[in-house]
Amino acid sequence: MKNTEPKGLATPAEADLPGGAAAAPTKKAGRQPGAAGHSRPVTLPINDTVIHAPESCVRCGEALDAAGFVAHGGRYVLDLETDLNAELPGLRMCHDKHLYGEIFCGQCGHVNRSEPGRCQAEPGWSVGLSEWHLVGPMLVSLLVCFSHRMHLSRRRTQEFLRDWLGVALSTSTINQCIHEAGRAVEPIEEQLAEELQQEALTHADETPWKEWGQLLWLWVLVTPTICLYFIGYRSKEILENVLGEGFVGWLMSDGYPVYRRFQKRLRCWAHLLRKAEGLKESLSTEARAFGQATHDLLNELMIAIYEAREGPPVDLTPRFHERLESFRELCEKHQDSVHKKTRALARELLNDWEAFWIVVVHPHLPLTHNEAERALRHWVIARLLSQGTRTGQGTRAFALLASVIDTCRRRHILPWPYLAKVITERRKGNSAPPLPAAA
């Protein structure tokens, strides 16, 4: 029978309640008793079962009988196995089950429990670092390789895992693994900074970097065995925090003023040559003459420096003393030029006079900071593809992983097994294994 009650009128039961509203049934938040649960289905076959049984009693030290182990929980781990020395080397996925439980000590009666390892909370990180994780250390290392070396997005990485390895991971899990790897290698940064202070020569450079639209700078400090990256503001505090007062080597850089606080400083001649060539093409007669003079001096000095490098160490200052003094007078003459570019180049030369020409005294020193620019090139491509990072944690992880990867490359060490080793130890709550010396 059709309901003929007027719409909008309260029923007798509702009318008795304050405000005319029906009382809503109360229930606890979350899954209700008897409701179907939601979990990750285990569809892959189990390759091995690893039992984490306590070996000795934590109270009395008595050896425990593994036969008395009672499992109370476990986890599944997806990881990669690699064998580069096999007849047919390659990658193989493994799916292991890890069991944790307890053993009763017959000597003192203490119940000994085994639990997954866990790293304590660390400032600046919201991502966990624990053995209780579906993705194994070597698979995490592969995800970092896809992200940092192959420039693959999270979705492209997800596609590769699904199509080629038969593994289904969400993009959020992939992102979490990469951040976890960054947290795991954070202690390595201090080791690199300490080693950097003992280097005789370091190349430095910086390039813009975006973090969710905010302009930051990706810095790099490069030596033959170290490549240290960090992302932050373009200020002198960045260099002071990394190099500190203990750095006594030569620093090769461009003309950014923050580098001037270092006494033993070198200026890149490549930048100088480009500016001189630009002035040579100017419509101003004064600018063309000054650009030609600068270009000729640099070419003359470079020929002499390259010749000096083929023989024993020699100081070229006596040979070019008068030539440099004459050029200095020319710079002083043009430092107040009405032509903007001429005036800027003349003042730049005068401000960094010693940094430009110290290589004449020590011809073995480099003329450019191409080492730093080459180190940045790969990450500049990553910036163009990804448009930077999205969070502070992602930015921190990016720089830390880039430092470890490129430093391993410079030391002729394969970075991926080392990264997996660091993740393994840090998940247990142990300290990170130090970077090996150059092979």
Side-chain angles (χ1 to χ4, degrees), residues 192-374:
L192 296 180
E194 291 177 356
E195 293 181 8
L196 193 65
Q197 297 198 10
Q198 309 304 318
E199 293 290 328
L201 172 65
T202 299
H203 295 255
D205 201 7
E206 72 287 336
T207 188
W209 186 267
K210 288 292 185 69
E211 180 188 301
W212 200 245
Q214 180 185 10
L215 178 61
L216 300 175
W217 293 81
L218 172 63
W219 298 71
V220 64
L221 296 170
V222 182
T223 74
T225 59
I226 298 172
C227 202
L228 181 58
Y229 298 92
F230 44 98
I231 299 176
Y233 294 106
R234 203 182 189 202
S235 62
K236 64 179 181 180
E237 287 78 11
I238 292 288
L239 284 177
E240 291 175 353
N241 291 338
V242 178
L243 295 178
E245 301 294 335
F247 180 73
V248 295
W250 292 98
L251 182 66
M252 164 59 80
S253 69
D254 55 19
Y256 188 43
V258 299
Y259 298 113
R260 290 179 180 170
R261 65 174 295 273
F262 297 94
Q263 296 295 325
K264 299 173 67 174
R265 190 164 62 91
L266 302 167
R267 278 293 310 272
C268 176
W269 282 23
H271 290 75
L272 199 58
L273 274 171
R274 286 196 293 267
K275 293 177 181 179
E277 289 174 353
L279 289 180
K280 285 169 56 179
E281 299 175 358
S282 173
L283 297 177
S284 168
T285 304
E286 179 187 20
R288 288 200 304 271
F290 184 63
Q292 187 67 54
T294 304
H295 195 271
D296 292 345
L297 175 63
L298 291 173
N299 282 335
E300 184 179 349
L301 288 174
M302 282 190 291
I303 293 173
I305 288 170
Y306 290 142
E307 291 176 351
R309 289 176 178 177
E310 297 177 358
V314 61
D315 183 357
L316 299 176
T317 305
R319 177 178 167 185
F320 290 97
H321 176 72
E322 293 184 2
R323 184 83 168 83
L324 288 173
E325 287 300 316
S326 174
F327 183 69
R328 182 167 192 148
E329 293 176 0
L330 183 64
C331 291
E332 292 173 346
K333 175 183 176 182
H334 288 86
Q335 65 179 333
D336 295 320
S337 171
V338 295
H339 189 266
K340 181 180 178 180
K341 296 294 184 180
T342 301
R343 180 174 70 249
L345 180 58
R347 291 182 177 182
E348 181 179 0
L349 285 163
L350 292 172
N351 288 334
D352 286 337
W353 188 263
E354 295 297 330
F356 275 119
W357 312 121
I358 192 66
V359 69
V360 178
V361 182
H362 306 285
H364 66 280
L365 293 174
L367 293 175
T368 70
H369 75 325
N370 286 346
E371 282 289 321
E373 290 186 339
R374 281 194 292 266

Side-chain angles (χ1 to χ4, degrees), residues 3 37 74 119 158 172 174 178 233-234 280 301 327 383 393 405 417 437:
N3 186 5
C119 184
Q158 183 187 44
S172 60
I174 295 170
I178 294 171
Y233 294 106
R234 203 182 189 202
K280 285 169 56 179
L301 288 174
F327 183 69
R383 179 192 66 196
Q393 181 171 270
I405 292 169

Side-chain angles (χ1 to χ4, degrees), residues 86 119 135 159 219 380:
C119 184
V135 185
E159 179 182 320
W219 298 71
V380 168

Side-chain angles (χ1 to χ4, degrees), residues 23-68:
T26 59
K27 63 178 182 178
K28 293 176 63 177
R31 187 171 70 90
Q32 302 303 304
H38 298 278
S39 62
R40 184 185 184 91
V42 181
T43 57
L44 297 176
I46 304 299
N47 299 105
D48 192 14
T49 299
V50 182
I51 298 177
H52 298 269
E55 297 180 355
S56 60
C57 180
V58 296
R59 176 180 292 177
C60 65
E62 183 73 14
L64 299 174
D65 184 7

Side-chain angles (χ1 to χ4, degrees), residues 170-204:
S170 66
T171 54
S172 60
T173 298
I174 295 170
N175 188 70
Q176 179 200 38
C177 289
I178 294 171
H179 287 192
E180 181 193 24
R183 178 185 170 184
V185 301
E186 184 179 38
I188 308 300
E189 185 181 57
E190 184 176 352
Q191 175 193 344
L192 296 180
E194 291 177 356
E195 293 181 8
L196 193 65
Q197 297 198 10
Q198 309 304 318
E199 293 290 328
L201 172 65
T202 299
H203 295 255

